[in-house]
Amino acid sequence: MALAFLLPTTWLTVAANIYAREAGVLGARHPGGLLRLAVAVVLGAGLALALRFRPEAGFTRGLRDVLPFLLSILVYTNLHDTIGFVNPHDVHHELVALDKALFGVEPTLWAERFITPERTEWMQFFYANFFWLAPSASLILLVRGRFAAFRATTLAVMTCFYLGYLLYVLLPAAPPRLVLAPEYTKNLYGYPQFFSKLNAEAFSLLPVDSRAAFPSLHTAVSVVMLASAWRFLRAWFYLTLPLCALLWVSTIYLRHHYAVDLVAGAALAPLALLLAPRIDAWWSGQQRVLGIEPARGAPGG
């Protein structure tokens, strides 16, 4: 799955970088995309060498376990710059209309009444939690040596990511903060020394024409993580459920998603949970037919 998405997005990242240079709009995000690709190449080459010369080493096993997840994040960050090269047919205006039809109002505009600097700081904090919540159950299971549960959880998360990436390309949509900018009457100012500044710096690296709103992967992946935690780490489910719920709220408050994005994300999660074990069983079976031992925790091991 990583290679199926990494190879075309690598070409697109290079194309975006060349275009940006020729158009004179080269920003910090473009060299960053190339740097991430270079890191992926180094890690991939390192894993290939480790599997060749030290296949049983703990480092080799660990890198084999986590590298596919790291590559899925690489694809995610680089897609922001490249979706416009693939599909220029945006659907964000249809999403706005759907939000209004379902709720009678555009939720991010309705949420303006709750904006204060203090709430903005908290919402930025809750939104940023996604970056550790997404892999959290996988990491706990890996550290505990529960390799079958780790593999099932990680593959479900990755499957969710890749399904979301495919929908990003098929249904490109800019977030509300860009599409509805002229309609907002309040700024999301927080306090410059806290999370607002950190998030603003992170978003400054994204293209102004970002097309990664539908579906909300913040919602989809966190639901997959919660479902996996319910199955394998019940206490972790109860600890992270409130944080995930506040994460979902923050995506509306901070204008990163339309409400229908969250609905689509919640619907995507069960599909990922359904597909992941079937993909794993098929792939592991193919590996064994070819005489290749699957990684730790594979079905039938």
Side-chain angles (χ1 to χ4, degrees):
M1 287 195 299
L3 289 176
F5 280 83
L6 184 62
L7 293 177
T9 56
T10 296
W11 179 85
L12 288 169
T13 297
V14 174
N17 196 280
I18 294 172
Y19 169 80
R21 289 181 183 276
E22 293 176 347
V25 293
L26 187 68
R29 65 185 184 272
H30 293 286
L34 294 179
L35 176 61
R36 288 189 292 270
L37 288 176
V39 171
V41 170
V42 170
L43 289 174
L47 177 58
L49 290 172
L51 287 170
R52 177 69 176 83
F53 296 107
R54 297 287 301 278
E56 300 301 321
F59 170 80
T60 303
R61 289 173 175 265
L63 186 58
R64 187 179 184 184
D65 286 334
V66 303
L67 184 57
F69 181 82
L70 296 178
L71 292 178
S72 72
I73 302 302
L74 166 74
V75 173
Y76 178 62
T77 53
N78 283 3
L79 262 182
H80 281 279
D81 282 314
T82 58
I83 290 174
F85 286 87
V86 183
N87 185 359
H89 305 293
D90 296 330
V91 300
H92 37 252
H93 295 297
E94 287 78 4
L95 298 180
V96 173
L98 188 55
D99 259 3
K100 291 179 179 178
L102 290 173
F103 304 103
V105 65
E106 210 298 310
T108 63
L109 288 168
W110 173 83
E112 280 195 302
R113 68 194 66 193
F114 302 108
I115 291 176
T116 66
E118 293 82 5
R119 288 196 187 103
T120 297
E121 283 300 326
W122 279 109
M123 290 297 164
Q124 297 282 17
F125 168 73
F126 294 134
Y127 186 78
N129 282 337
F130 174 75
F131 299 102
W132 66 265
L133 282 170
S136 62
S138 293
L139 290 173
I140 293 171
L141 292 166
L142 180 61
V143 169
R144 291 184 177 181
R146 298 174 60 184
F147 298 117
F150 160 78
R151 183 180 175 101
T153 299
T154 306
L155 184 57
V157 169
M158 288 174 53
T159 301
C160 189
F161 268 121
Y162 286 125
L163 288 172
Y165 301 162
L166 184 60
L167 288 173
Y168 282 171
V169 175
L170 295 176
L171 299 168
R177 67 178 186 275
L178 301 180
V179 176
L180 301 175
E183 300 185 43
Y184 294 123
T185 59
K186 289 185 179 180
N187 291 313
L188 288 169
Y189 290 139
Y191 298 110
Q193 53 274 67
F194 295 117
F195 294 102
S196 291
K197 180 181 179 181
L198 294 175
N199 282 4
E201 291 175 349
F203 276 98
S204 69
L205 297 177
L206 296 180
V208 294
D209 57 350
S210 175
R211 296 294 186 272
F214 185 88
S216 167
L217 283 180
H218 282 69
T219 302
V221 171
S222 59
V223 169
V224 169
M225 187 280 294
L226 285 172
S228 299
W230 177 264
R231 181 181 177 189
F232 300 119
L233 299 165
R234 193 64 56 88
W236 191 244
F237 168 85
Y238 289 115
L239 285 171
T240 55
L241 178 60
L243 290 175
C244 289
L246 290 166
L247 165 65
W248 305 332
V249 172
S250 74
T251 64
I252 299 296
Y253 179 98
L254 296 173
R255 306 164 180 170
H256 295 318
H257 283 290
Y258 310 95
V260 290
D261 298 343
L262 275 68
V263 175
L268 184 65
L271 179 60
L273 290 163
L274 180 68
L275 287 176
R278 288 163 173 77
I279 294 171
D280 199 12
W282 174 82
W283 180 251
S284 299
Q286 294 300 308
Q287 286 181 297
R288 291 191 172 96
V289 168
L290 295 173
I292 302 169
E293 183 60 28
R296 296 179 293 189

